Amino acid sequence: MRITPLSLLISASLLASSAFAQDTATVTGIESEISTKQIDYDKSTTILDKHLKEESQLQTQLQLLRSRSTELDKEKNQALDAMNEMYRRLIDDPSIDITAAQARYQKAVVDHKQNKDDISMQLAAIASHRKDIEQIRVAKHTLLNTLESLKEQLTTARVERLRNEFTREGTLEVNHTINCKRTETLAACEQRGQQMGLQKATKRFVDQIFANLTEERLVEPKRNLAGAQVQILSSHVVKSAFSGQGNYNVNLSVTMRGEVNSSRLCNLLSIDNRYCSEYGTPMAATYQPTYSTTFSDSQLTFSKHADNSNVSAARLNEQPVRDYAVKPTVTNSSVIANSDKNQPIELTLRSNVYDDEVFIDGVSFGSTRLVTRLPRGVHNIEVRKLGYKPYQVRVDLNKAQTVHANLVKKPESIAAPTYTREQPEQTTRKVSDNISVLSANVKTSVVVIPAGKFNMGDINGNGLANERPVIEKVIANSFAMQSKEVTVGEYEQFAANTGYKTQAEQGKGCAYYLNGEPVWEANLNWRNPGFEQTSDFPAVCLTYSDAKAYADWLSGQTGQQFRLPNEVEWEYAARAGSQTEYPWGNDIGKNLANCGWCGSQWSNKSAAPVGSFSPNAFGLYDTVGNVWEWTNKNSGESDVAVRGGAWNFAPSLARASTRLILAPDFRSNYIGFRLVRER
């Protein structure tokens, strides 16, 4: 039996809906805006490079002027000595001509003064040029964040466009002929013919949906993963007739609407599942389908290739929704469980005396009792107290452990009276988890960053030019780093103790983002950053000098050296042994950090309380997003790098290797800091 070809009529709602045209226009508009901003960004890069080159030339000229100043000063002194000698000789011999000596000295004075004026002018030119560079850099960072934000919007628009294209409505007119079986009645043949006509219509409707997808080339190879469905809204027989040869022909007009498992749209577009999280649970990224040549569900089965054969249907009148998605079983082996092997392990330290000091891998952790978390592996523990022999032990930390240190008095020591655990001192200092009590009123939470080596820079090829080349760096010694960003409460303690006024508080204000542009507001500072905050929020609106002032104060209070981390230390600690863009992988995910479009309750609104998200493998919080963090300025350089991303910057700028270069006096409500403690 030969089934006649389908005659197909697609309604305007399927191919030319204004809503879908608007989706495409939105995507096209964003793409156009990205193209424009990319051109602006490239221009700003060229302009910045030109200014930096000019600044280098100005600095070279300044060095030449300063070198010449030394020579001119020497010449002036020599000319003066020569002229004085001529004056002495003139006393004995009035006929001596001293004109040449006078002229030489006069010229030396003029040249020296001119060189000093040139140096002053050169310094002014460099200062003016430096301001231009700072403005260009801020503008460039703004453009970069705008670009990355537009890319976020573009991806969201692509998802919405695809969803709308899958869920459009349309009407098809289908002409279908079957041969009635000898054993069936005419009514049964008529019903079967109409059912198979409906089945053909739904299949063709799905085919047309896929054929008209804007991103068909990307989506079509993953067709079986789409979960595409068709809902029959209405149908009616246009005409039908039986022929004398036992054939039944029916012409159907069927109105349908497409449906799709929206949580799978990201998989179809090969993008991060976070863009589809609002639609439900996305497909596992590890799912590798086997594409079948046959589409099937519980209602119908038909061949992908044979348009006119072996079509069967069941319960069609009971359930009008057709699901053409292949649904293979996903085994447990497809799901990769998160390993906890890189997570820090708890170590508890106790001793038989008070007022001791604990050193872990050479870094002071305060006194016992102490509970801290350390990276898995071997650590050297030492407990010291004046008048006692040091207690030393080497611990292979693979699971939570408790170390009891028994300190023994040195012979003939003149140790101060000591209180044992059995006879406690009246005033004790309690040390909570991972907190080193450093003085009577100052405490800070630090974690040990072990020695090691790592690849620094744009490992995965997604970064900026200033993240390349990738270089292997070696951290020869372990060091301690604050586990959290310095908070408002901690900075308040410093300001109250010293009366320190930040640059923002001195009437110069602080920058905040408005419509993608940094805007200066005179009344903004770390106490009032432009959003509501409590004492556990990161301190922001601070310059490089404001951060260093706090570090100097903390060092004085504790007797230990605190400073800003250099870039190598910061990235090593932030990566915590990972080679991915973020500690948990190459995708930002949803609600794993506080950055723009990261899905947290603070994203694009404000900073978050420190420690609101899980720490990395070294026990550091908020190395992804929340606020950018100042790093230590390199010797001889005038600018400083900030690292880590922020609550109002795109996720792509919160990668471990991202660097933004700023002037030291820049301050904004998205920049804070944390400190390292030297050995």
Side-chain angles (χ1 to χ4, degrees), residues 358-366 446 448 478-480 677-679:
V358 178
F359 290 84
I360 303 176
D361 297 325
V363 178
S364 174
F365 267 65
V446 295
V448 172
S478 61
F479 60 94
R677 189 177 69 196
E678 294 186 345
R679 294 170 64 90

Side-chain angles (χ1 to χ4, degrees), residues 136-350:
I136 293 169
R137 275 197 167 127
V138 171
K140 184 180 176 182
H141 297 335
T142 301
L143 277 171
L144 179 61
N145 194 31
T146 300
L147 256 177
E148 298 303 318
S149 301
L150 283 170
K151 291 175 184 178
E152 291 287 320
Q153 295 174 36
L154 174 63
T155 305
T156 301
R158 287 175 61 209
V159 171
E160 189 62 22
R161 179 179 66 184
L162 184 62
R163 189 181 70 85
N164 287 336
E165 288 176 341
F166 267 119
T167 57
R168 60 182 60 180
E169 293 184 12
T171 300
L172 289 92
E173 191 169 302
V174 181
N175 187 49
H176 191 60
T177 300
I178 64 170
N179 183 261
C180 296
K181 297 177 181 179
R182 295 179 181 179
T183 58
E184 66 182 345
T185 64
L186 292 178
C189 181
E190 181 180 32
Q191 183 182 19
R192 183 165 63 88
Q194 292 178 10
Q195 288 176 339
M196 295 179 69
L198 288 174
Q199 182 179 356
K200 283 290 187 178
T202 57
K203 176 187 181 298
R204 184 56 59 88
F205 189 80
V206 170
D207 290 342
Q208 288 297 322
I209 285 179
F210 275 93
N212 287 283
L213 293 177
T214 307
E215 300 190 56
E216 179 202 6
R217 290 185 179 181
L218 180 62
V219 175
E220 178 62 34
K222 302 178 182 180
R223 179 168 180 156
N224 293 352
L225 307 179
Q229 301 173 334
V230 174
Q231 182 178 10
I232 298 176
L233 302 177
S234 65
S235 65
H236 67 276
V237 177
V238 178
K239 63 178 180 178
S240 64
F242 288 94
S243 70
Q245 298 177 350
N247 292 334
Y248 173 72
N249 176 267
V250 63
N251 185 271
L252 294 172
S253 177
V254 187
T255 300
M256 292 163 282
R257 179 172 62 237
E259 295 182 353
V260 68
N261 186 336
S262 296
S263 65
R264 299 184 179 186
L265 296 176
C266 285
N267 185 271
L268 297 177
L269 294 174
S270 301
I271 58 176
D272 191 348
N273 283 329
R274 66 188 171 92
Y275 295 101
C276 302
S277 58
E278 64 181 274
Y279 300 123
T281 304
M283 289 186 64
T286 55
Y287 176 46
Q288 298 294 330
T290 300
Y291 296 106
S292 171
T293 58
T294 302
F295 299 86
S296 64
D297 68 4
S298 59
Q299 282 79 40
L300 54 92
T301 301
F302 55 88
S303 170
K304 179 179 179 182
H305 302 296
D307 193 41
N308 302 319
S309 64
N310 296 334
V311 180
S312 62
R315 303 190 306 280
L316 191 64
N317 56 345
E318 299 176 15
Q319 175 53 264
V321 177
R322 310 289 180 257
D323 186 352
Y324 293 96
V326 174
K327 303 171 183 176
T329 302
V330 180
T331 63
N332 290 335
S333 60
S334 302
V335 181
I336 302 175
N338 291 326
S339 173
D340 61 353
K341 65 180 182 180
N342 292 324
Q343 292 300 314
I345 300 174
E346 185 174 282
L347 175 68
T348 302
L349 284 162
R350 299 180 180 178

